[in-house]
mmCIF file of all heavy atoms in Angstrom:
data_model
loop_
_atom_site.group_PDB
_atom_site.id
_atom_site.type_symbol
_atom_site.label_atom_id
_atom_site.label_comp_id
_atom_site.label_asym_id
_atom_site.label_seq_id
_atom_site.Cartn_x
_atom_site.Cartn_y
_atom_site.Cartn_z
ATOM 1 N N VAL Y 1068 34.820 -16.667 2.020
ATOM 2 C CA VAL Y 1068 34.092 -15.769 1.130
ATOM 3 C C VAL Y 1068 33.388 -16.597 0.064
ATOM 4 O O VAL Y 1068 33.986 -17.508 -0.519
ATOM 5 C CB VAL Y 1068 35.070 -14.768 0.455
ATOM 6 C CG1 VAL Y 1068 34.347 -13.858 -0.512
ATOM 7 C CG2 VAL Y 1068 35.816 -13.963 1.504
ATOM 8 N N ALA Y 1069 32.127 -16.271 -0.199
ATOM 9 C CA ALA Y 1069 31.380 -16.926 -1.274
ATOM 10 C C ALA Y 1069 31.190 -15.927 -2.409
ATOM 11 O O ALA Y 1069 30.792 -14.784 -2.179
ATOM 12 C CB ALA Y 1069 30.027 -17.412 -0.774
ATOM 13 N N VAL Y 1070 31.505 -16.353 -3.616
ATOM 14 C CA VAL Y 1070 31.293 -15.535 -4.812
ATOM 15 C C VAL Y 1070 30.321 -16.302 -5.701
ATOM 16 O O VAL Y 1070 30.639 -17.399 -6.175
ATOM 17 C CB VAL Y 1070 32.609 -15.251 -5.564
ATOM 18 C CG1 VAL Y 1070 32.341 -14.431 -6.817
ATOM 19 C CG2 VAL Y 1070 33.606 -14.560 -4.658
ATOM 20 N N ASN Y 1071 29.127 -15.736 -5.862
ATOM 21 C CA ASN Y 1071 28.048 -16.405 -6.605
ATOM 22 C C ASN Y 1071 27.832 -17.833 -6.104
ATOM 23 O O ASN Y 1071 27.618 -18.753 -6.884
ATOM 24 C CB ASN Y 1071 28.319 -16.387 -8.104
ATOM 25 C CG ASN Y 1071 28.175 -15.006 -8.693
ATOM 26 O OD1 ASN Y 1071 27.640 -14.109 -8.076
ATOM 27 N ND2 ASN Y 1071 28.678 -14.829 -9.903
ATOM 28 N N GLY Y 1072 27.925 -18.009 -4.778
ATOM 29 C CA GLY Y 1072 27.649 -19.296 -4.176
ATOM 30 C C GLY Y 1072 28.841 -20.217 -4.025
ATOM 31 O O GLY Y 1072 28.791 -21.191 -3.273
ATOM 32 N N LYS Y 1073 29.953 -19.956 -4.715
ATOM 33 C CA LYS Y 1073 31.147 -20.795 -4.588
ATOM 34 C C LYS Y 1073 32.008 -20.245 -3.453
ATOM 35 O O LYS Y 1073 32.346 -19.067 -3.437
ATOM 36 C CB LYS Y 1073 31.936 -20.811 -5.899
ATOM 37 C CG LYS Y 1073 33.088 -21.776 -5.857
ATOM 38 C CD LYS Y 1073 33.742 -21.940 -7.207
ATOM 39 C CE LYS Y 1073 34.889 -22.931 -7.080
ATOM 40 N NZ LYS Y 1073 35.592 -23.120 -8.329
ATOM 41 N N VAL Y 1074 32.374 -21.119 -2.492
ATOM 42 C CA VAL Y 1074 33.076 -20.691 -1.277
ATOM 43 C C VAL Y 1074 34.593 -20.798 -1.464
ATOM 44 O O VAL Y 1074 35.100 -21.792 -1.997
ATOM 45 C CB VAL Y 1074 32.621 -21.541 -0.069
ATOM 46 C CG1 VAL Y 1074 33.351 -21.138 1.187
ATOM 47 C CG2 VAL Y 1074 31.113 -21.404 0.130
ATOM 48 N N TYR Y 1075 35.310 -19.735 -1.006
ATOM 49 C CA TYR Y 1075 36.767 -19.671 -1.068
ATOM 50 C C TYR Y 1075 37.304 -19.331 0.314
ATOM 51 O O TYR Y 1075 36.678 -18.583 1.063
ATOM 52 C CB TYR Y 1075 37.226 -18.570 -2.036
ATOM 53 C CG TYR Y 1075 36.772 -18.757 -3.456
ATOM 54 C CD1 TYR Y 1075 35.589 -18.179 -3.896
ATOM 55 C CD2 TYR Y 1075 37.532 -19.484 -4.360
ATOM 56 C CE1 TYR Y 1075 35.170 -18.334 -5.212
ATOM 57 C CE2 TYR Y 1075 37.116 -19.638 -5.683
ATOM 58 C CZ TYR Y 1075 35.935 -19.057 -6.097
ATOM 59 O OH TYR Y 1075 35.529 -19.211 -7.393
ATOM 60 N N ASP Y 1076 38.498 -19.869 0.631
ATOM 61 C CA ASP Y 1076 39.245 -19.442 1.804
ATOM 62 C C ASP Y 1076 40.232 -18.383 1.321
ATOM 63 O O ASP Y 1076 41.042 -18.648 0.428
ATOM 64 C CB ASP Y 1076 40.008 -20.615 2.423
ATOM 65 C CG ASP Y 1076 39.064 -21.616 3.064
ATOM 66 O OD1 ASP Y 1076 38.023 -21.187 3.613
ATOM 67 O OD2 ASP Y 1076 39.359 -22.828 3.018
ATOM 68 N N VAL Y 1077 40.165 -17.186 1.906
ATOM 69 C CA VAL Y 1077 40.958 -16.060 1.412
ATOM 70 C C VAL Y 1077 41.738 -15.434 2.559
ATOM 71 O O VAL Y 1077 41.181 -15.139 3.611
ATOM 72 C CB VAL Y 1077 40.045 -14.990 0.761
ATOM 73 C CG1 VAL Y 1077 40.861 -13.807 0.279
ATOM 74 C CG2 VAL Y 1077 39.243 -15.588 -0.365
ATOM 75 N N ASP Y 1078 43.037 -15.230 2.333
ATOM 76 C CA ASP Y 1078 43.896 -14.507 3.262
ATOM 77 C C ASP Y 1078 44.501 -13.356 2.481
ATOM 78 O O ASP Y 1078 44.858 -13.513 1.310
ATOM 79 C CB ASP Y 1078 44.996 -15.430 3.782
ATOM 80 C CG ASP Y 1078 45.857 -14.774 4.849
ATOM 81 O OD1 ASP Y 1078 45.497 -13.676 5.327
ATOM 82 O OD2 ASP Y 1078 46.903 -15.361 5.195
ATOM 83 N N TYR Y 1079 44.566 -12.187 3.098
ATOM 84 C CA TYR Y 1079 45.159 -11.067 2.376
ATOM 85 C C TYR Y 1079 45.913 -10.151 3.326
ATOM 86 O O TYR Y 1079 45.653 -10.101 4.520
ATOM 87 C CB TYR Y 1079 44.113 -10.269 1.592
ATOM 88 C CG TYR Y 1079 43.177 -9.456 2.459
ATOM 89 C CD1 TYR Y 1079 43.473 -8.139 2.779
ATOM 90 C CD2 TYR Y 1079 42.011 -10.010 2.950
ATOM 91 C CE1 TYR Y 1079 42.619 -7.406 3.583
ATOM 92 C CE2 TYR Y 1079 41.153 -9.286 3.747
ATOM 93 C CZ TYR Y 1079 41.470 -7.980 4.057
ATOM 94 O OH TYR Y 1079 40.628 -7.262 4.858
ATOM 95 N N ASN Y 1080 46.879 -9.457 2.759
ATOM 96 C CA ASN Y 1080 47.664 -8.462 3.490
ATOM 97 C C ASN Y 1080 47.824 -7.238 2.621
ATOM 98 O O ASN Y 1080 48.015 -7.349 1.400
ATOM 99 C CB ASN Y 1080 49.058 -9.001 3.835
ATOM 100 C CG ASN Y 1080 49.011 -10.093 4.867
ATOM 101 O OD1 ASN Y 1080 48.398 -9.933 5.913
ATOM 102 N ND2 ASN Y 1080 49.640 -11.227 4.570
ATOM 103 N N LEU Y 1081 47.767 -6.069 3.224
ATOM 104 C CA LEU Y 1081 48.037 -4.827 2.521
ATOM 105 C C LEU Y 1081 49.535 -4.611 2.558
ATOM 106 O O LEU Y 1081 50.123 -4.457 3.624
ATOM 107 C CB LEU Y 1081 47.295 -3.661 3.179
ATOM 108 C CG LEU Y 1081 47.447 -2.302 2.528
ATOM 109 C CD1 LEU Y 1081 46.943 -2.342 1.088
ATOM 110 C CD2 LEU Y 1081 46.670 -1.255 3.312
ATOM 111 N N GLY Y 1082 50.156 -4.645 1.376
ATOM 112 C CA GLY Y 1082 51.611 -4.594 1.307
ATOM 113 C C GLY Y 1082 52.195 -3.216 1.080
ATOM 114 O O GLY Y 1082 53.390 -3.028 1.164
ATOM 115 N N GLY Y 1083 51.419 -2.232 0.808
ATOM 116 C CA GLY Y 1083 51.923 -0.893 0.522
ATOM 117 C C GLY Y 1083 50.835 -0.096 -0.138
ATOM 118 O O GLY Y 1083 49.663 -0.399 0.014
#
Side-chain angles (χ1 to χ4, degrees):
V1068 178
V1070 179
N1071 289 346
K1073 186 172 180 181
V1074 179
Y1075 299 92
D1076 290 326
V1077 179
D1078 185 10
Y1079 71 92
N1080 291 309
L1081 182 60

